[in-house]
Amino acid sequence: MNYTALVSNIQNFVEDDSTELSNSIPTIIAQAEEMIFQRLPSLPCYRKTTTGTLVVGTADYTVATARMIRQVSVTSSSNVIFLDHRIDSYLRDYWPNSSTTSTPRMYSTKNATTSGTVITLAPTPSATLSYAVDFAAPETGLSSSNANNWIGDNAEHLLLTAALYETSAFLKASETLNLYKTKFDESVALFQQEMSRNYNAEYNGGI
């Protein structure tokens, strides 16, 4: 379902061609997509990876656009080392002198800025090793300048019910608000089952 089709379906389902609704549809769609991301952050379209090179003596790194850090790894002597995730206070206790360097063994999510999510490594890097960060972030949303995305192409029912749920809230239409909330919740549950099958091997999971 591309952007034009989604806009048309929203108006047809709620039978409202008012200027107020038409002008608000881009915001409604954006809110629906955000709600989907928050409910289903493990969808394939949200899984992203960034790579780079560590800077000796620098412990903090910003992961642009990241909303959720999934895992962090460094490569040393051709060996990939996945870092353990810990809270900030644990890292400060474990490696109190950040000027002392060694090969990183763990990381924490420090904070979030307009530039992205900041992670801290410990120990502070002692070499310019390659690193990779796997994270989750929303995909580019549907709009008049971006007609298609993964959600629209592969999760039409999920997207439409989320948009109709948001539209009902905008219109203060209590008679359809609960209806589309139920349909959206059902669609989320079905996708959760699909993701479980997607990320579990049939041999090990007995599916």
Side-chain angles (χ1 to χ4, degrees):
M1 185 185 304
N2 61 27
Y3 178 75
T4 300
L6 179 58
V7 170
S8 178
N9 281 329
I10 291 172
Q11 293 173 319
N12 291 339
F13 271 72
V14 299
E15 299 180 326
D16 190 322
D17 295 322
S18 67
T19 301
E20 291 79 9
L21 177 59
S22 296
N23 291 341
S24 298
I25 282 180
T27 300
I28 288 171
I29 292 174
Q31 290 175 331
E33 291 174 322
E34 176 67 12
M35 185 165 57
I36 292 170
F37 172 76
Q38 291 174 334
R39 295 284 291 273
L40 295 165
S42 292
L43 287 178
C45 59
Y46 302 139
R47 297 164 74 92
K48 308 177 190 302
T49 300
T50 187
T51 59
T53 302
L54 299 178
V55 178
V56 175
T58 299
D60 290 349
Y61 296 83
T62 300
V63 186
T65 75
R67 290 274 294 275
M68 303 177 189
I69 303 298
R70 294 176 46 235
Q71 57 195 14
V72 180
S73 65
V74 298
T75 301
S76 177
S77 301
S78 299
N79 294 316
V80 177
I81 303 168
F82 284 92
L83 309 188
D84 292 326
H85 183 218
R86 297 288 187 269
I87 60 175
D88 288 341
S89 58
Y90 185 98
L91 258 64
R92 290 193 295 269
D93 183 58
Y94 167 73
W95 205 255
N97 186 354
S98 60
S99 63
T100 304
T101 62
S102 185
T103 301
R105 295 294 176 183
M106 56 189 69
Y107 77 96
S108 69
T109 303
K110 183 177 182 180
N111 56 30
T113 70
T114 55
S115 300
T117 298
V118 181
I119 61 172
T120 300
L121 308 185
T124 304
S126 60
T128 55
L129 304 177
S130 297
Y131 73 87
V133 181
D134 297 321
F135 63 96
E139 64 176 344
T140 301
L142 292 174
S143 67
S144 57
S145 60
N146 186 56
N148 295 82
N149 62 14
W150 191 94
I151 292 292
D153 291 345
N154 296 277
E156 292 187 4
H157 185 265
L158 178 69
L159 176 60
L160 181 58
T161 55
L164 291 172
Y165 179 25
E166 289 291 337
T167 303
S168 296
F170 172 80
L171 295 174
K172 299 179 177 61
S174 57
E175 68 276 9
T176 59
L177 184 65
N178 290 332
L179 168 66
Y180 289 124
K181 180 184 185 302
T182 299
K183 287 186 172 296
F184 174 65
D185 289 342
E186 290 173 350
S187 190
V188 167
L190 289 173
F191 253 100
Q192 287 173 331
Q193 294 177 25
E194 182 176 322
M195 289 303 96
S196 178
R197 293 175 181 270
N198 195 27
Y199 295 130
N200 287 306
E202 290 187 3
Y203 179 82
N204 293 328
I207 299 174

